[in-house]
Structures are given as structure tokens and as C-alpha cells.
Amino acid sequence: MFTISDLMTTHPHTLLRSNSLEDAKALMDEHGIRHIPIVDTEHTLIGLVTQRDLLAAQMSCLEKPTFEDISTLDIPLNAIMHENIMSISPHGGLKSAAVFMQKHKVGCLPVVEHGKLVGIITDSDFVTIAINLLELQEEVDPIEIDE
């Protein structure tokens, strides 16, 4: 049986709670990612910021004019990060992770072992599995020949 550790991205890109929205946007753009785990200096998972969070923060700033001369991108991540997030062990099952993600409509699960962030598994990882399984099925399916 395959486990989370077989599929997860190890050493995911992370930021600290003191980093800004601008830092998160730059990291997402540079690496083509949509989820950033927020960790403390000991690499303990403390939150998560998604691409959707960045868009929502930018939209809320446009909707509510502010009297301060502060750019939305200067906001620290601890102001918008999700703190009550689910995580999974690297020894967890892939099926249970996929079912959880589908049921709760989340795009990723941070992977935590002994309190430390060790990886991340995303919905894109499961799409990769599906593609590989479909390719295997195509190789196994008999070819129909018209007579």
C-alpha cells in the first residue's frame, strides 16, 4: 500500500508568520505553487496561506477604502493565515487523504511528523496519480480491431 510519504513533496516552500503577502505572492509566482505552509523558526507548522487567501485579501482591500497609506501586500501573513488546519502523517494512507480532501474541499494537507513539517500533499499530486493510472489502464486494455 502506498503512503503519503510515497507521493508528498518533501521540503515544501515555507514562510514565517512575519513574512508579508508580497513575500507569499512572490514565492507562489516563482515556484508555481498555490499553498504555503507557515512555520516557526523550529519548522513547526503554525498555519497555511493559499492563493485564494491572497486574492481575497487583495479584493477586500479594493472593496474597503483605507485611510492608511499601506499596501495590501505589506500585510503580515499572520493576519490572513489559516491556523486551525488539518495535517496528516507521512505514514497515512493515500485513499484516506484523498477522501478527506474531497469531503472538506481542501487543496492540500501539510505532512507533519513529530510536530515538524516534513512535506505537503496537494490535489495536483492526486491528479498525477489519476493520470498515471489511466495511462496504465490504456496499456492493459485490449485493442479492438474491426474485422
Side-chain angles (χ1 to χ4, degrees):
M1 177 175 92
F2 290 105
T3 65
I4 297 298
S5 65
D6 295 317
L7 186 65
M8 72 182 189
T9 299
T10 57
H11 311 293
H13 299 285
T14 62
L15 290 172
L16 301 171
R17 72 173 72 219
S18 58
N19 284 106
S20 68
L21 287 173
E22 184 172 16
D23 298 330
K25 183 178 181 336
L27 191 64
M28 287 179 185
D29 290 347
E30 181 180 346
H31 297 286
I33 56 176
R34 296 178 292 139
H35 310 92
I36 301 175
I38 308 303
V39 296
D40 64 15
T41 55
E42 277 118 43
H43 222 62
T44 301
L45 178 68
I46 59 171
L48 182 74
V49 172
T50 68
Q51 187 176 43
R52 188 175 288 174
D53 297 329
L54 292 180
L55 293 173
Q58 290 174 327
M59 290 299 293
S60 69
C61 182
L62 292 174
E63 292 172 3
K64 301 173 191 166
T66 178
F67 297 105
E68 299 174 358
D69 192 25
I70 296 177
S71 167
T72 304
L73 294 177
D74 291 335
I75 295 171
L77 294 178
N78 67 333
I80 68 156
M81 71 181 189
H82 299 276
E83 295 180 61
N84 297 322
I85 54 174
M86 289 296 301
S87 61
I88 194 162
S89 160
H91 310 292
L94 287 174
K95 181 180 177 187
S96 62
V99 169
F100 178 88
M101 290 172 67
Q102 181 184 35
K103 180 179 178 182
H104 297 282
K105 297 184 182 347
V106 295
C108 75
L109 285 173
V111 183
V112 175
E113 187 169 39
H114 306 297
K116 305 294 181 200
L117 181 72
V118 295
I120 191 168
I121 189 160
T122 68
D123 49 6
S124 296
D125 295 323
F126 286 104
V127 171
T128 300
I129 290 175
I131 291 168
N132 290 335
L133 289 173
L134 290 169
E135 287 174 348
L136 285 173
Q137 181 182 359
E138 286 175 358
E139 292 174 9
V140 172
D141 285 344
I143 299 173
E144 294 183 23
I145 300 175
D146 292 332
E147 292 182 28

